[in-house]
Amino acid sequence: MLAAAIKVPFRVRTVPLLSLASSGRRVAISASVKFVDGTCSFRSLYTGHGIRNGQRYSPKVTTTLANGGTSCGSLILRSLVPRSLTTHPSSNQPLPPQSAVTSTQSTGIIHRILFENPTIAPYSYLLRLQAPIGTYLLYLPCTWGVAFGAYAGGLGLENAAVTAGEVAWLMTLLGVGSLVMRGAGCVVNDLWDRELDKKVERTRTRPIASGVISPKAAMVFLGSQLSLGLGVLLQLNLYTIKLGFLTVPLFTMYPFMKRITHWPQFVLGLAFNSGTILGCTALLGHADWNVLVPLYAAGVSWTLVYDTIYALQDKKDDLKAGIRSTALLFSSNGTRSPKPALGFFATTTVSLLALAGYMNAAGPLFYLISVVGSMAHFGWQLKTLNVDCPRSANKKFRSNALLGAIVTAGVFADVVWRAYSKDSMDSAPDSTEQAKVEYSRVHRGPSGRI
């Protein structure tokens, strides 16, 4: 038991604060611990305001060994910092942590504006701008839909229904929409969960839970986010706009689901992967459900994998707080490994991707890059995942941005392969004629302009 393991060998490394000459500059405290047996390395990073006029401060780091007996060692670090470092310069409210920051140095003017300005910084953390992985995971399914639509529309062939410029513009527009809607989703989530967040170590210092941003101010901010999202949606064709409105309830339902079911990750998957459908219909003007249903289902299954891994970080706190998740369901509240269930959904994802590609008449590079590549990535994740180590879970969760990009890259590689293949005709295949006619009807007026 670790409770009596005061003499267990471990190494502690502290990074002292630099002497800062300007008032209100950001400061950082970090510490890492690694057991001699190498089972886990835990890193804790705190940043805040409060150093003034060249004052120098070197934090002391103490360790507390707690019960739990996980393979990570359940070693808890606590940095002893003066109150001035843990509160907002103009109030007694705690600042949100910057767990994603990896350097004590400011990275430029944009970083200073977003994360060091005492007025803007809380809203930057509310939007999770310090952790863009959520935006990537919302955007990547959109790129799947656009890529599948581009292939179906004959991109690269002489009489294609779509052009490279239209694809690039739509990818940019959906990128902006993903950034905005992911931020809006974070606000909705934090408003729903502000009481639950106070009970979880990782989330208790979020801006709304900690009181830095009031619920009323968050609601006003949410209204601005939704207005921006609506502006992006209205740039698309009418068919896609109608589908887009149907997805809004999914984003608002997710935070509530964790209170009533162990499958909130499934609802999150339904919301986050709506871009597979919207991206394709925005490009082609219609939906080929024979392709989009398995593609959408593949995205939902993928979300069940990566968000279950994400939830492994909080399973102990979630169990105490009564928060439900697939991480607890698949592991029977921590009594067995969730890897068999994760393996099932990983296999389902790959199989559905292959089916979607087959229905879209995909070429060899799609299967080689997207299908085999995602299979290999899933295998690496599950083999190296330490389900009892939050750091390992976080690393594997973040790696799914690469998996999503691999799928997109495979489809576009197929587009290029088809365009330059010696076996390719100089015209689009017959299967793209419907897409071409429908695209022209939805996107172009009598003048032929978009």
Side-chain angles (χ1 to χ4, degrees), residues 28 30 43 45 47 98-105 107 111:
S30 64
R43 182 173 176 80
L45 181 62
T47 59
Q98 300 183 48
S99 57
V101 180
T102 59
S103 172
T104 60
Q105 302 294 326
T107 57
H111 183 275

Side-chain angles (χ1 to χ4, degrees), residues 203-285:
T203 61
R204 65 182 52 175
T205 53
R206 284 177 174 174
I208 297 177
S210 62
V212 175
I213 297 177
S214 68
K216 182 178 180 180
M219 289 292 292
V220 173
F221 187 58
L222 175 61
S224 67
Q225 292 291 107
L226 294 177
S227 298
L228 289 172
L230 178 62
V232 172
L233 183 62
L234 292 178
Q235 304 304 308
L236 308 178
N237 58 61
L238 182 60
Y239 183 63
T240 306
I241 292 173
K242 292 178 180 178
L243 291 175
F245 276 111
L246 294 177
T247 68
V248 173
L250 296 173
F251 286 91
T252 58
M253 286 169 54
Y254 165 68
F256 180 68
M257 290 296 104
K258 66 184 69 175
R259 294 165 169 80
I260 63 174
T261 177
H262 279 97
W263 292 89
Q265 281 72 23
F266 176 73
V267 178
L268 181 70
L270 294 176
F272 259 50
N273 293 282
S274 57
T276 57
I277 298 174
L278 301 183
C280 189
T281 60
L283 187 63
L284 297 180

